[in-house]
Amino acid sequence: MIRKIIAAGGIMALFAAPKTAAANLVLMPGDTIAYRYTPLPATDTLPQTPRRGFGHRFVDYFARANQDRTFEKKIDFTFAGGPGYSKNTSLSLGVLAAGLYRIDRTDSLTPPSDISIFGSVSIIGCYTLGIRGNNLFSHNLHKINYTTMFSSMPRDMWGVGYRAGRDNAPSSYTEKQYKVHINYMYRVLPRTYVGAKLNFEHTTGKKFDTQSEAYASLSAHMPDMKHKYTATGLGVLVEYDSRDFIPNPFRGLYLSLHETWFPRALGNCSKSLWRTTVTLDGFQQVWRGGILAADLYGEFNSPGTPWPMLARTGGMWRLRGYYQGQYTDNNMITFQVELRQRIWRRIGCTVWGGAGNVFARFDRFDWAQTLPNYGIGFRWELKKRVNVRLDYGFGRKTSGFLMNINEAF
């Protein structure tokens, strides 16, 4: 009875205490818990986190953009944009987006999959929109890589062969092109894959002048040269791939052989065509932040390949700095060695040197017609190991500035 009276008195004292003072509830000996309650003044409120301005949030967005958040999010995207320039497109405005994701977010051994979205529009009327990526399934048992692109641009044409690119005067036309390339690979041995490929290419040439039409007609060695070509390619491939991360490898080897057949029935070419591509790439860390990379590439087309499907030097990936298509022929071999160096945090640079050769047949290959290539580049890490690259390349009586996403190889 006494215990109940004392407990009731303690509870009444608790509620009778002033709101700004502390009140204690003391229990009888033998109990093990004591409560202390300090009420807040009636005017007190919870502290509010101040809202950060747009500028601070913009800086924070890019400060966190290169962190690996693929275990937290279904897909981790970052966007960037700015002006660019190349010999093909002149001054342009581009938008880039890079995304990383994991099919199985419990699998920490498989590198993340990647997707890149790119688009640009230039002052001379060029526009490009495309998506490319690599989809890696759990434990790298299956892989799919893909490229989808639409472009429209005024272009120059010199004709076919080394001498045409060196001596002929350029002639203009407008090229509209759709491309869809999809490769599926299945692992049959450690790091070794076999697979199938599907290529769809549609090219329309417009506004040919007299000289460019003559150049295009000679490219196919056919009297019935068309301004519009559609080709669907079916093929097989074999690859060995030990790269640690496809968009920007730090180590590993990549060897591939792709064989593609373009049946006449699946397009409007005058006959069935074939194409063989061979790639040998190697990557090795040479010191802290320094990666040495080498690339050997060959593209070989069947005789009678029409003008939009020939091998072209220049562009974003190989023989950077040459106008894409100034030197063109049935076959092309290129080689480049590049040193990539991280300078500070997300900033890096690169230097490269290489060479390339275009030729009609192997018995006409001429070492004296080899085209030199070298250049320097700036790198900014947009996502974890996904770089925006600015390259300035030099060649034989030519140079050019390029902007793109991901490394050249």
Side-chain angles (χ1 to χ4, degrees):
M1 184 65 178
I2 294 175
R3 180 188 292 264
K4 292 181 179 180
I5 292 173
I6 294 175
I11 294 172
M12 292 175 64
L14 176 64
F15 286 98
K19 291 185 178 181
T20 58
N24 297 322
L25 174 62
V26 180
L27 302 182
M28 292 296 293
D31 292 325
T32 59
I33 301 177
Y35 298 92
R36 181 183 296 274
Y37 168 66
T38 305
L40 294 173
T43 58
D44 285 356
T45 59
L46 293 176
Q48 299 293 320
T49 302
R51 181 177 177 81
R52 295 171 63 83
F54 173 78
H56 287 94
R57 285 183 282 134
F58 182 81
V59 172
D60 290 345
Y61 170 76
F62 281 102
R64 297 191 304 267
N66 68 331
Q67 299 174 1
D68 186 356
R69 305 175 66 186
T70 56
F71 292 103
E72 307 168 17
K73 305 173 67 174
K74 290 183 178 180
I75 185 167
D76 186 17
F77 256 116
T78 300
F79 298 85
Y85 179 85
S86 73
K87 296 181 76 67
N88 290 61
T89 63
S90 185
L91 185 65
S92 62
L93 180 65
V95 178
L96 305 171
L100 297 177
Y101 61 96
R102 295 179 184 272
I103 302 297
D104 181 0
R105 282 188 281 168
T106 65
D107 178 12
S108 61
L109 299 179
T110 302
S113 302
D114 66 276
I115 181 173
S116 302
I117 303 173
F118 52 94
S120 67
V121 58
S122 81
I123 61 173
I124 64 171
C126 302
Y127 53 93
T128 302
L129 180 64
I131 301 174
R132 60 175 173 262
N134 299 279
N135 201 68
L136 310 182
F137 293 89
S138 184
H139 306 295
N140 258 345
L141 185 60
H142 307 265
K143 295 196 300 184
I144 295 176
N145 58 52
Y146 53 88
T147 299
T148 300
M149 186 178 71
F150 168 71
S151 64
S152 175
M153 63 179 64
R155 295 185 59 91
D156 289 337
M157 183 181 289
W158 282 259
V160 181
Y162 169 81
R163 289 186 176 87
R166 182 192 63 183
D167 301 331
N168 287 354
S171 188
S172 64
Y173 71 104
T174 299
E175 181 180 275
K176 295 181 180 291
Q177 193 171 62
Y178 301 85
K179 283 187 177 181
V180 179
H181 293 178
I182 302 174
N183 300 329
Y184 169 78
M185 288 150 281
Y186 180 79
R187 191 179 68 205
V188 293
L189 293 170
R191 300 173 179 173
T192 304
Y193 299 82
V194 297
K197 60 189 290 111
L198 171 65
N199 287 10
F200 175 80
E201 303 178 12
H202 175 81
T203 305
T204 300
K206 297 184 176 181
K207 301 179 182 178
F208 282 95
D209 60 25
T210 303
Q211 190 61 61
S212 60
E213 187 148 5
Y215 290 160
S217 179
L218 289 173
S219 72
H221 307 289
M222 297 177 184
D224 59 340
M225 190 277 294
K226 303 180 180 69
H227 289 185
K228 183 183 297 185
Y229 282 94
T230 300
T232 302
L234 307 173
V236 295
L237 60 93
V238 180
E239 292 190 353
Y240 175 86
D241 191 356
S242 63
R243 294 172 295 178
D244 58 330
F245 185 56
I246 294 175
N248 184 11
F250 286 178
R251 63 181 183 275
L253 292 172
Y254 175 67
L255 314 175
S256 76
L257 172 63
H258 291 216
E259 191 71 37
T260 310
W261 176 51
F262 297 91
R264 180 181 177 182
L266 297 181
N268 71 336
C269 298
S270 300
K271 63 177 184 177
S272 297
L273 305 168
W274 56 261
R275 176 185 297 155
T276 302
T277 57
V278 181
T279 308
L280 291 84
D281 292 345
F283 307 89
Q284 179 63 52
Q285 183 169 343
V286 290
W287 53 68
R288 182 178 177 84
I291 306 298
L292 186 64
D295 168 65
L296 176 63
Y297 175 81
E299 179 180 333
F300 312 101
N301 292 289
S302 58
T305 297
W307 60 269
M309 299 175 65
L310 291 171
R312 298 173 174 178
T313 60
M316 294 290 181
W317 315 105
R318 295 175 173 90
L319 292 177
R320 288 165 279 172
Y322 285 88
Y323 187 99
Q324 187 179 30
Q326 179 175 353
Y327 295 92
T328 182
D329 214 322
N330 272 15
N331 308 309
M332 177 177 69
I333 297 176
T334 67
F335 176 72
Q336 55 186 329
V337 177
E338 185 168 285
L339 177 62
R340 303 165 182 170
Q341 178 65 53
R342 181 182 293 272
I343 300 174
W344 180 70
R345 293 189 178 181
R346 300 167 69 176
I347 297 174
C349 67
T350 183
V351 294
W352 80 85
N357 198 305
V358 296
F359 52 98
R361 301 194 307 264
F362 279 95
D363 61 353
R364 294 187 180 180
F365 181 90
D366 187 349
W367 284 104
Q369 297 179 356
T370 299
L371 300 166
N373 182 230
Y374 58 95
I376 58 175
F378 170 83
R379 299 292 182 269
W380 185 71
E381 191 177 40
L382 179 64
K383 295 295 302 175
K384 184 71 172 178
R385 293 178 63 176
V386 176
N387 292 334
V388 173
R389 60 183 172 97
L390 307 176
D391 291 333
Y392 197 89
F394 301 86
R396 179 167 294 168
K397 298 181 180 180
T398 186
S399 64
F401 174 79
L402 304 165
M403 176 181 175
N404 211 311
I405 194 168
N406 292 328
E407 296 297 336
F409 62 94

